Amino acid sequence: MTISTAQKPSFYSSKPYSPLDTSKKEIGLLKLVPANKDEPLEGYLINNCYLNTTHPRFDAISYCAGYLNKTVEITINNVKFNAFQSLGRALGRVRPTPEQIEEFHMEIPLLWADQIFINQSDPVERSHQAAQMRENYQHAEATLLWIGEDLSGAFNPIRHVKDMHRDLQRANEKLTEVGLT
């Protein structure tokens, strides 16, 4: 069975991947460039991270690929990459803005997503990485499940975090006022 993906040949011809050692549990990770919601997605690959030793903390993204002809363009290592629309929307949602980085002292998250990190141009590596997916999810700090957009606008996770942060600051101020901190 051949799985078709929505890739641009120029992405693979740019050789963005360092070959992974199949005898070790290696993966690649994505570091997104912080930007505002309306700005294009951009990021950089971090190749050859080891799962079984000290490795960078990362989150995995689980999503439904959706229609192969519905894609979002992402710039990775300065080369255009066609991601499934669902993955592109998930990445756009988890990508922090420069203001969030500053206000919440956030680190830029490292992410693993199968479409980006399973090298489709190398059948041996692709087979090895597909077999290793379970371990990738197990070693992730968190698995982010993308089920689609909330078109009603009823829940805004960033606003929720901001509200929680504000409430914690207020509670801390009250505790300080009464001498409990």
Side-chain angles (χ1 to χ4, degrees):
M1 177 174 95
T2 302
I3 297 175
S4 176
T5 59
Q7 307 304 342
K8 284 195 171 192
S10 61
F11 180 76
Y12 290 111
S13 66
S14 73
K15 301 192 185 316
Y17 301 105
S18 296
L20 299 177
D21 184 342
T22 56
S23 70
K24 299 176 182 164
K25 301 294 183 186
E26 289 184 322
I27 62 170
L29 298 173
L30 176 67
K31 188 172 193 171
L32 289 172
V33 174
N36 294 315
K37 185 178 180 181
D38 58 339
E39 294 180 87
L41 289 165
E42 183 179 353
Y44 295 91
L45 297 179
I46 299 172
N47 289 301
N48 305 90
C49 300
Y50 299 99
L51 287 180
N52 291 340
T53 61
T54 305
H55 61 277
R57 294 169 47 179
F58 70 95
D59 294 331
I61 296 183
S62 179
Y63 62 97
C64 176
Y67 298 103
L68 297 179
N69 62 344
K70 291 189 176 187
T71 62
V72 172
E73 194 171 82
I74 302 173
T75 301
I76 299 177
N77 291 4
N78 299 313
V79 179
K80 303 296 182 195
F81 176 88
N82 286 348
F84 295 123
Q85 186 177 51
S86 177
L87 175 58
R89 286 184 175 163
L91 292 172
R93 186 63 81 144
V94 301
R95 173 185 63 181
T97 65
E99 293 80 18
Q100 290 167 334
I101 297 280
E102 185 177 321
E103 183 176 347
F104 299 111
H105 307 288
M106 293 175 65
E107 292 182 23
I108 299 171
L110 296 176
L111 304 166
W112 181 85
D114 61 350
Q115 186 193 10
I116 297 172
F117 291 104
I118 295 180
N119 184 352
Q120 300 298 322
S121 67
D122 182 337
V124 173
E125 188 173 304
R126 180 178 61 216
S127 176
H128 178 265
Q129 287 291 300
Q132 183 178 296
M133 283 177 64
R134 178 180 174 167
E135 290 179 77
N136 295 355
Y137 284 108
Q138 288 174 330
H139 281 85
E141 183 94 358
T143 296
L144 310 173
L145 177 62
W146 180 254
I147 56 174
E149 293 284 343
D150 174 13
L151 300 177
S152 72
F155 181 70
N156 181 327
I158 298 300
R159 185 178 320 123
H160 181 68
V161 169
K162 283 183 175 181
D163 291 345
M164 287 179 6
H165 184 259
R166 181 199 64 230
D167 293 345
L168 286 171
Q169 282 183 321
R170 287 179 182 164
N172 192 39
E173 289 169 5
K174 293 286 186 190
L175 290 171
T176 303
E177 284 176 18
V178 296
L180 293 175
T181 59

